Amino acid sequence: MLGVGNLTQSCKLQKSRVTILETSDLHGNMLPIHYANNQPNDVGLSKVAALIAAERKKEAHVIVIDNGDLIQGTPLAYHHARLNNEPMDPMVLGLNYVGYDAAVIGNHEFNYGLRVLQKAVQESKFPWLCANIVDAVSGEPFLGKPYLIKELPDGVRIGILGLTTPYIPNWENPAHIEGLRFEDALESAKKWVKFLKEHEQVDVVVVSYHGGFERHLTTGEPTEPLTGENQGFQLCMEVEGIDVLLTGHQHRSIAGVEINGVVIVQPGTAGVTLGKVELKLSKVDGKWRIDAKKSELLSVANIEADNKLIELVSVYEAKTQEWLDQPIGKLSGDMLVKDPMQIRLKDNALIEFINRVQMELSGAAISNTALFDNVSPGFPSDITMRDIVSNYIYPNTLKVIRISGQDIKDALEQSAEYFELTLVGEVQVSSKFRDPKPSHYNYDMWEGITYKLNISRPIGKRVVQLEYEGKPLDLEASYDVVMNNYRAAGGGNYGMFQDKPVIKDIPTDVAELLAGYIMERGTIEASVNENWEVIWD
């Protein structure tokens, strides 16, 4: 039987609830549309904003965090960064309007250079957190704030630490990250989580990490090369004191999972879902403890977008649409994408055109490029800027690097891993390029060489023909090859290209190069020389 003192004590037991909401990899998606044709699409911050407002009506304590890759990815974002940068960044305007508590730097934040990034940061009414990207001289976090403390009215102290994948120097234009040092996210987490617990006396540690998971969430088996690009599993297993891990970068949809007692979430890309973590706490012996925690994803499907936010960005959008509808030139022939798999199985006019432009503008005799995703429409007969940016969706530049014949063969073998055959002999995308996220952009197609890939052969032995100028490619010789800066730096785990001599650097965005090339000629011709194909037995 409870005594009076015990009864009084139990009645005074304090409880608290907090909701943490996460967006990640919005990639410039503000409006719920497809920019290729302006048709409706269940994406975007304007829809996410409505979900966040609904959550705030339900709960007293709501914290909202963006986990990175915010300011790049759509024509709206591109047009602002390159052609209309004087006004406030439209995505920052959106986060300000919604009332975000913090944002984390993503790898694509650097795509337009430090000036554009620093301007966006200065325009933000919230702090940008990044503990492991530091000034190369001082060692201080380059944006000043490694973490944020949120103290609720009931006294619960929540520490939010920002981390970013340190693999960025493997992809990014060196001029865009000059003066910065990218430290290991795991080591940085160990340092700062301990600091938050011991010095800031926080009750809850939230790590918002622009990175994903390098291992299977339940078995712990590696799911990719352990390069340090993604360290989410390691963070959960090796850093003591993390309660919540918000993730991104891989564009995966993850919720309802804990790793080593750490609740995790990852909300896909483009604002298709909002990540939600609920914490229930109680105060015991003067200290707050977490009694329960769970994560889920809230879909924006059938959610009406926030019309006020749409109105706020309407001027940006009008200018973007006007730019997208600018006529560029005409096409004679067929460069439409009707079946993405067919585009990747045999030489085609769209890929050949992009490669030939790269070769002509760079002077290189060999080129490679990719069909970046499965929604690339190709070019119609009347080409506009919309068609250019709908097909070449990244702000890549070009580099000519000097590599060996063996490097070319190794790269082709890696691309050949894109395919696998089903039990009934049908071609499909392999699990390596499908999981944990589709990475169609890592399958390259080449011009300037002649080759065949036989995907019935074992991995690593699929290049069955490889010639240059009518003769077998000399594996010992050197060749100058033009490719985008992401690939030239070894992006997509093409390590054979890393640290190779740069013969020429063309710093203009490829989308601009393609547009300029077409405008200069007025009409382009579709052509296919059938220099490569994928075969199987």
Side-chain angles (χ1 to χ4, degrees), residues 62-73:
V62 177
I63 297 170
V64 187
I65 301 167
D66 183 75
N67 190 56
D69 282 3
L70 175 73
I71 65 171
Q72 173 278 334

Side-chain angles (χ1 to χ4, degrees), residues 45-95:
L45 182 60
S46 59
K47 283 199 165 209
V48 171
L51 280 178
I52 293 172
E55 289 299 309
R56 283 181 170 143
K57 287 180 180 177
K58 291 194 297 185
E59 296 291 342
H61 307 316
V62 177
I63 297 170
V64 187
I65 301 167
D66 183 75
N67 190 56
D69 282 3
L70 175 73
I71 65 171
Q72 173 278 334
T74 58
L76 175 73
Y78 182 94
H79 183 264
H80 170 73
R82 292 294 194 228
L83 302 167
N84 187 37
N85 194 234
E86 191 173 327
M88 179 184 291
D89 186 286
M91 297 305 291
V92 168
L93 184 154
L95 266 59

Side-chain angles (χ1 to χ4, degrees), residues 8-77:
T8 303
Q9 188 177 18
S10 67
C11 290
K12 288 183 177 178
L13 187 66
Q14 281 185 268
K15 298 283 189 180
S16 185
R17 291 163 58 98
V18 60
T19 297
I20 301 162
L21 303 177
E22 179 208 9
T23 51
S24 190
D25 300 271
L26 284 169
H27 283 290
N29 282 275
M30 173 65 72
L31 303 179
I33 60 171
H34 289 282
Y35 274 99
N37 52 24
N38 285 339
Q39 291 299 302
N41 192 16
D42 280 325
V43 300
L45 182 60
S46 59
K47 283 199 165 209
V48 171
L51 280 178
I52 293 172
E55 289 299 309
R56 283 181 170 143
K57 287 180 180 177
K58 291 194 297 185
E59 296 291 342
H61 307 316
V62 177
I63 297 170
V64 187
I65 301 167
D66 183 75
N67 190 56
D69 282 3
L70 175 73
I71 65 171
Q72 173 278 334
T74 58
L76 175 73

Side-chain angles (χ1 to χ4, degrees), residues 65-68 102-106 127-134 141-143 145-149 159-165 183-186 188-189 192-193 196 205-211 235 244-246:
I65 301 167
D66 183 75
N67 190 56
V104 173
I105 291 287
W128 288 73
L129 311 178
C130 190
N132 67 310
I133 305 180
V134 301
F142 93 108
L143 293 180
K145 295 214 69 166
Y147 64 85
L148 173 69
I149 304 295
I160 303 160
L161 177 67
L163 297 171
T164 303
T165 175
E183 298 184 339
D184 182 73
L186 182 73
S188 189
W192 288 106
V193 170
L196 287 169
V205 173
V206 177
V207 173
S208 186
Y209 165 55
H210 189 82
L235 286 168
V244 178
L245 182 64
L246 311 177

Side-chain angles (χ1 to χ4, degrees), residues 466-487:
L466 180 53
E467 298 177 351
Y468 176 68
E469 294 183 340
K471 298 177 182 178
L473 188 79
D474 185 345
L475 300 184
E476 301 295 325
S478 293
Y479 300 89
D480 291 349
V481 180
V482 60
M483 60 188 75
N484 68 56
N485 63 299
Y486 171 78
R487 186 70 79 241

